[in-house]
Amino acid sequence: VFFLIVSIVGFVRLYFNTGRPWLGYAVCGLRLLALIINLFSTPNVNYGQITGLRHLRILGGETISLAKGVENPWVRVSELSSLLFLVFVVDASVALWRRGHPGDRRRAVIVGGSMIFFISVAAGTSALIEAGVMQSPYLISFSFLAIVAAMAYELSLDVVRAAQLARQLQASEAALRESEQHMGLAASAAELAMWMWDIPRDEVWTTDKGRALFGFTQSGKINFDRFLNVLHPEDRDAVRQAVAEAVNGAGEYESEYRIVLPGGQARWIAGRGRVEFGGGKPVRMRGVSLDITRRKQAELEAARQRDELAHLSRVALLGELSGSLAHELNQPLGAIVTNAGAALRFLARDTMNRGKLREILEDIVAEGRRAGEVIRGIRGMAGKKDAERQLVNLNDVIIGVIRLTRSDALAHDCTIVSELHPMLPKVEAHVVQLQQVFLNLILNAFEASQEVPKAQRQIIIRTERDGDGTVLASVRDFGTGLPAEAPERVFEQFYSSKKDGMGIGLCIAQSIASAHGGTLQAQNAKGGGARFFFRLPAIHEVDL
Amino acid sequence: MTLAHALVYVIDDEESMCKAIGRLLESESYSVEIFSGARQFLARPPHRGPSCVVVDLNLPELNGLALQRALAKSGRGEQLIFITGGASVPTCVQAMKSGAIDYLPKPFCDEDLLGAVEQALIRASEQWTKSSQRKEVRARLATLTPREFDVLKLVIGGMLNKQIAARLGTTEATIKVHRGRVMKKMGVKSVAELVVHAQRAGIASESTDTTKV
């Protein structure tokens, strides 16, 4: 009985893959205890004292004997074990049923059900025999047969299924080989180099195409460092970081980088890969690499042309502004020359004291600096080389542009009103390009204001926070407004309402906005005139 | 040359420019007053003496040319010297046509500005003398009776006492008395002097020819 129960418990755990282990252990443990008690108690665990034998005749004329006697109190151990055994099997079957898979449900019903049936019948029969109601113990054996049959049925089904699986596996292997061939063909047609990096061993396998792409010989081991060495020195860190991020959990790797071939030739490569993890650790990364030199060159060429156009339009803007700029320069120069002249005259007449001289010299220095700033501004606008993007406050850019256009505003009888948000988040941008956008908008506003009475010629520049992540600057005039039917047409290339306009200013301003991840929109304002909305993504670090 | 009671106004919205021009003029011992805008200048009561204005053409609100028009309209005779950081040719032409002394693009030579200021003040003081004399003559004229005024007009027309008496229907002796009073009230000793004064005041003579009956 002990071995029977242990084997059933084992079968349930292995085959059903359900059942609470602690219940199983308890069942086996109690049964073992009962066995030990049985060995050490006389006469056995069931009876404390055997008082006699009962003789029974069963079918076929065989006679069996049953003991009669006083119950051993230790028999409860054996009974508890049987009860727990029943609980264990019921629990395991219910769990199996709950998984919901049709095969699992069938197994739960057939095997689990037959076990429960066997245990119940066995226990019930024993009790009935004890009580003397029933005579024959055969029912126990029959119910045991039922459970064995059920288990055998299940096992034979499994054998059949295993054979089927084996056939399917063969078929799918063939299909896999075929699809690998297809993949290979597709990859070579798309000029893709496939690779696989065994991370623990640091070994890279790649297709012949891959070796050719990276300039590796057809044999010879490749590892990660050897791969990095082929990269352009400026791109190594970025790639190393992208790979590290993928390996350390992100899983996906993607980067564009340059490689330098042994002949010194540079190529642009795009790489994509996916890391496979095993036991929480990166095991390997598979991926593809593609030569994107041609696309990259086209992109760079397009960017170069865009920069060139932006530069041309900046120079054109400067041309429009030249009067203003001359004024901005002549102002400090005039003050310097006049101050110096005054000082010389004071000295010649010997009416100069140290305090007065200091005052004059300080003013000369300040004005000289101011002239220098104007020149730097012009050089920045006219220069082709644009500095790196930097964190800037849009308010500062606007104040600078207003200063630059001040005398132009006077010449057009326009007043500029600025309503600048005091706590504006910064944006990351090319300062010169932002200046270009605002110059464009302001000069257009001057132009648009010429048709309306002087009292109306006002331009309102406002900055504000637009939601959480956006900085909004708007430029509003009270001029003639935009074409009512299609305000956005002003952004079209070669669309111009000016006599001598090229029609590229706003188009370029919009492309500058989008290159910075922002937008430039226009609409007719209520109460006349146009309003332009320039939005840029905010960098979160409030400028205090 | 510095004139007593002369004053130079400087109007520029650039404080640094105002200060610099002020220093330059002070180095030559001119009296200077500085304004940051044309309106502030107009709000000041006119100077009682020769004066000139150094003014930037590009001023916010009221620009240089508008100031020139405003001064002309109110009959003030200040001489204007325009300075500019970069105004267009038509603006300069307009300024000069309207009687500006000079037009100086910044940065200008200190001699140029001082020369212009000197010239402006000479013109201003001449004007000032003339207008003060005119004022004096007018004041004296105001003391004449209508009869004496009639006699004055006929005297400067070159008529003799006899002719005047006949013209006004009175005796020669009466005219003689009138004539004596006129000479006294006008503060002159000769007829020639009287003629000059009357011309300054812009009084037309009544000649013999036109009054023949």
Side-chain angles (χ1 to χ4, degrees):
Chain A
V1 173
F2 169 72
F3 290 110
L4 177 68
I5 284 174
V6 168
S7 67
I8 289 177
V9 167
F11 178 81
V12 167
R13 277 294 306 148
L14 287 176
Y15 192 72
F16 282 13
N17 203 16
T18 57
R20 292 163 210 267
W22 64 268
L23 260 177
Y25 290 129
V27 169
C28 296
L30 281 171
R31 185 48 68 181
L32 186 63
L33 189 64
L35 191 65
I36 293 163
I37 295 166
N38 198 24
L39 285 176
F40 287 98
S41 55
T42 39
N44 67 16
V45 75
N46 288 338
Y47 298 104
Q49 217 180 354
I50 294 178
T51 53
L53 285 174
R54 268 193 295 164
H55 295 281
L56 292 172
R57 276 184 87 85
I58 54 164
L59 263 90
E62 287 287 327
T63 308
I64 52 168
S65 311
L66 282 174
K68 274 201 298 188
V70 185
E71 208 174 57
N72 187 340
W74 287 106
V75 78
R76 299 281 167 250
V77 175
S78 160
E79 282 171 8
L80 183 62
S81 157
S82 298
L83 185 67
L84 281 181
F85 181 49
L86 184 64
V87 171
F88 171 73
V89 174
V90 170
D91 173 61
S93 301
V94 168
L96 191 63
W97 174 266
R98 283 219 182 118
R99 276 193 204 160
H101 193 271
D104 287 343
R105 292 197 166 182
R106 180 173 47 76
R107 255 178 272 163
V109 170
I110 295 177
V111 183
S114 63
M115 282 179 186
I116 294 163
F117 175 71
F118 155 69
I119 296 161
S120 321
V121 168
T125 316
S126 307
L128 289 175
I129 291 171
E130 284 307 310
V133 177
M134 255 181 76
Q135 299 293 309
S136 167
Y138 274 114
L139 263 173
I140 303 179
S141 318
F142 287 134
S143 59
F144 178 62
L145 270 180
I147 195 173
V148 171
M151 281 161 70
Y153 170 70
E154 272 304 313
L155 286 173
S156 65
L157 266 185
D158 281 1
V159 171
V160 171
R161 205 178 302 138
Q164 273 178 347
L165 277 174
R167 269 200 304 281
Q168 278 175 6
L169 194 63
Q170 262 182 336
S172 68
E173 261 178 10
L176 191 65
R177 265 197 300 280
E178 204 174 329
S179 84
E180 266 179 6
Q181 277 171 353
H182 285 313
M183 278 279 281
L185 267 175
S188 66
E191 309 255 286
L192 279 172
M194 300 200 283
W195 45 262
M196 201 265 285
W197 177 34
D198 184 325
I199 296 170
R201 272 191 254 161
D202 190 17
E203 273 176 18
V204 179
W205 166 88
T206 177
T207 53
D208 291 348
K209 173 78 196 161
R211 286 184 180 265
L213 190 61
F214 287 92
F216 294 128
T217 49
Q218 288 304 318
S219 56
K221 282 194 173 182
I222 311 169
N223 59 19
F224 187 62
D225 279 340
R226 202 169 154 210
F227 159 70
L228 274 185
N229 269 334
V230 179
L231 263 54
H232 192 284
E234 283 175 22
D235 295 346
R236 279 179 201 163
D237 280 344
V239 171
R240 192 183 284 133
Q241 200 184 335
V243 169
E245 274 170 19
V247 168
N248 292 334
E252 298 283 338
Y253 153 77
E254 192 177 344
S255 72
E256 288 184 1
Y257 50 83
R258 285 163 291 175
I259 57 170
V260 183
L261 295 179
Q265 191 195 1
R267 309 289 295 168
W268 274 96
I269 306 286
R272 245 168 207 265
R274 181 172 293 158
V275 182
E276 290 164 24
F277 293 91
K281 283 190 175 165
V283 178
R284 66 183 78 83
M285 178 153 76
R286 291 176 203 277
V288 289
S289 295
L290 175 65
D291 187 332
I292 53 162
T293 309
R294 217 174 293 165
R295 192 192 87 200
K296 208 73 191 178
Q297 275 169 348
E299 272 176 22
L300 290 176
E301 177 65 14
R304 198 188 60 75
Q305 282 179 354
R306 195 179 53 228
D307 287 351
E308 186 80 9
L309 201 58
H311 172 247
L312 275 178
S313 120
R314 267 206 304 280
V315 171
L317 277 179
L318 278 182
E320 274 183 63
L321 263 183
S322 59
S324 267
L325 295 175
H327 182 262
E328 285 309 302
L329 263 185
N330 287 336
Q331 202 66 38
L333 288 180
I336 289 170
V337 171
T338 308
N339 268 318
L344 286 174
R345 275 164 201 278
F346 279 126
L347 285 174
R349 293 184 164 223
D350 230 359
T351 50
M352 176 72 98
N353 62 44
R354 287 176 70 94
K356 201 186 283 174
L357 181 64
R358 173 185 297 276
E359 230 176 73
I360 291 175
L361 289 178
E362 277 170 357
D363 281 6
I364 288 176
V365 169
E367 292 302 305
R369 289 224 174 96
R370 187 176 144 195
E373 263 165 42
V374 175
I375 288 171
R376 256 196 301 285
I378 297 173
R379 194 186 280 161
M381 289 287 288
K384 272 192 173 180
K385 216 48 189 144
D386 203 350
E388 293 280 297
R389 283 191 185 188
Q390 58 191 85
L391 281 182
V392 284
N393 188 334
L394 223 47
N395 290 345
D396 296 339
V397 176
I398 290 171
I399 291 167
V401 174
I402 291 177
R403 196 180 302 142
L404 219 56
T405 55
R406 205 185 43 160
S407 30
D408 234 51
L410 280 174
H412 287 91
D413 291 300
C414 290
T415 43
I416 299 182
V417 178
S418 53
E419 298 168 359
L420 305 178
H421 192 290
M423 298 280 279
L424 204 63
K426 289 189 176 182
V427 296
E428 193 178 9
H430 293 291
V431 176
V432 168
Q433 294 189 0
L434 294 189
Q435 285 174 334
Q436 183 173 359
V437 171
F438 285 110
L439 259 181
N440 240 304
L441 296 180
I442 292 174
L443 293 186
N444 282 345
F446 289 162
E447 203 64 41
S449 301
Q450 290 314 290
E451 307 290 323
V452 299
K454 285 187 183 179
Q456 224 174 303
R457 296 185 192 170
Q458 200 182 45
I459 291 156
I460 301 172
I461 304 179
R462 180 183 298 160
T463 55
E464 56 201 287
R465 306 170 76 139
D466 186 26
D468 210 27
T470 309
V471 175
L472 166 64
S474 59
V475 177
R476 194 252 155 100
D477 64 56
F478 293 85
T480 39
L482 307 166
E485 67 282 3
E488 297 279 327
R489 270 203 71 193
V490 291
F491 295 114
E492 282 173 24
Q493 211 160 346
F494 308 123
Y495 176 89
S496 179
S497 58
K498 291 187 220 167
K499 284 195 299 290
D500 48 357
M502 275 200 285
I504 58 168
L506 282 176
C507 175
I508 287 168
Q510 200 173 42
S511 81
I512 289 174
S514 61
H516 284 83
T519 57
L520 180 63
Q521 293 161 316
Q523 66 178 46
N524 278 312
K526 272 182 202 159
R531 181 176 272 153
F532 285 80
F533 299 92
F534 182 27
R535 289 184 170 82
L536 284 177
I539 303 297
H540 268 285
E541 174 209 13
V542 175
D543 184 25
L544 291 175
Chain B
M1 185 190 99
T2 330
L3 293 150
H5 313 299
L7 183 59
V8 185
Y9 300 107
V10 179
I11 313 173
D12 198 321
D13 57 328
E14 290 280 341
E15 195 201 342
S16 58
M17 202 64 215
C18 281
K19 265 163 75 181
I21 295 174
R23 283 181 189 133
L24 183 63
L25 293 171
E26 275 161 17
S27 75
E28 293 295 310
S29 311
Y30 286 106
S31 307
V32 183
E33 255 182 60
I34 286 171
F35 299 91
S36 63
R39 288 198 193 286
Q40 290 90 317
F41 164 67
L42 285 175
R44 182 203 190 282
H47 173 59
R48 300 174 66 82
S51 66
C52 73
V53 186
V54 179
V55 58
D56 190 2
L57 260 176
N58 305 314
L59 288 173
E61 291 182 58
L62 198 64
N63 68 27
L65 286 182
L67 174 70
Q68 193 177 28
R69 279 194 295 272
L71 287 177
K73 215 173 169 184
S74 60
R76 287 171 60 168
E78 281 97 340
Q79 297 294 318
L80 294 178
I81 298 159
F82 286 114
I83 52 175
T84 168
S88 61
V89 175
T91 320
C92 318
V93 172
Q94 174 71 43
M96 294 308 286
K97 268 189 175 173
S98 310
I101 290 281
D102 211 343
Y103 164 86
L104 302 170
K106 296 178 196 171
F108 41 76
C109 253
D110 43 1
E111 281 91 1
D112 288 349
L113 181 73
L114 292 172
V117 166
E118 190 181 325
Q119 195 193 336
L121 285 181
I122 289 171
R123 213 189 275 182
S125 72
E126 277 169 6
Q127 267 184 7
W128 179 257
T129 318
K130 262 190 211 160
S131 77
S132 48
Q133 283 169 344
R134 195 185 302 132
K135 271 182 205 152
E136 196 197 323
V137 175
R138 288 227 174 109
R140 284 176 189 275
L141 280 174
T143 61
L144 300 182
T145 63
R147 196 66 171 175
E148 284 165 359
F149 192 67
D150 289 342
V151 173
L152 170 89
K153 282 202 281 188
L154 294 169
V155 169
I156 60 172
M159 278 179 146
L160 301 171
N161 287 349
K162 196 161 65 183
Q163 288 170 305
I164 296 169
R167 181 79 178 273
L168 297 176
T170 181
T171 62
E172 201 180 335
T174 318
I175 292 302
K176 222 172 181 174
V177 173
H178 279 314
R179 191 178 180 144
R181 287 209 190 112
V182 167
M183 297 296 271
K184 198 177 175 193
K185 280 186 179 173
M186 291 303 289
V188 292
K189 290 191 176 77
S190 66
V191 175
E193 244 183 297
L194 188 68
V195 169
V196 170
H197 277 207
Q199 264 174 356
R200 267 187 202 145
I203 297 161
S205 60
E206 281 184 30
S207 75
T208 14
D209 298 326
T210 53
T211 54
K212 265 183 183 166
V213 184

